[in-house]
Amino acid sequence: MASLSLQLRDYRLTVAEILYHMPDHPGLLQSYIWQDLDLAPRYPVLRKFLTFWERELDGKLHSVKVASNSIITPSECRFVDGELKLH
């Protein structure tokens, strides 16, 4: 239910591809995919994760690509000209 309440507050499904230098081989890049609900365009949840990464993990960040899309969107409504009743 927490997920739904976040989505109703305009949080969007956010995916980030994080490229980082491998600690033992800094010349090589490794890819990490991160996914969570986040609030565009500031992305506070992703920023908190990246701050944790830089503070706690050995792999130095190279680049981050972000994609975001809302999950809950207004549905399409249309009115009909007639009504059909059964029984």
Side-chain angles (χ1 to χ4, degrees):
M1 288 295 186
S3 173
L4 179 60
S5 68
L6 287 175
Q7 291 174 46
L8 292 173
R9 293 193 324 241
D10 205 27
Y11 277 71
R12 300 163 174 253
L13 178 62
T14 304
V15 178
E17 179 187 20
I18 301 168
L19 291 179
Y20 64 96
H21 296 275
M22 294 183 67
D24 296 340
H25 304 282
L28 297 177
L29 293 176
Q30 181 83 15
S31 177
Y32 179 81
I33 303 297
W34 174 91
Q35 179 178 313
D36 206 342
L37 292 175
D38 209 348
L39 191 58
R42 291 215 174 283
Y43 301 109
V45 179
L46 176 58
R47 287 178 184 268
K48 182 178 177 182
F49 176 75
L50 293 175
T51 300
F52 164 79
W53 183 299
E54 289 179 325
R55 186 181 64 242
E56 300 292 332
L57 301 179
D58 292 334
K60 183 180 174 190
L61 295 176
H62 177 269
S63 61
V64 179
K65 292 181 187 176
V66 179
S68 176
N69 193 15
S70 59
I71 299 172
I72 296 179
T73 58
S75 62
E76 294 181 17
C77 294
R78 62 185 179 120
F79 294 99
V80 294
D81 291 333
E83 181 177 340
L84 177 64
K85 291 184 181 182
L86 294 176
H87 294 287

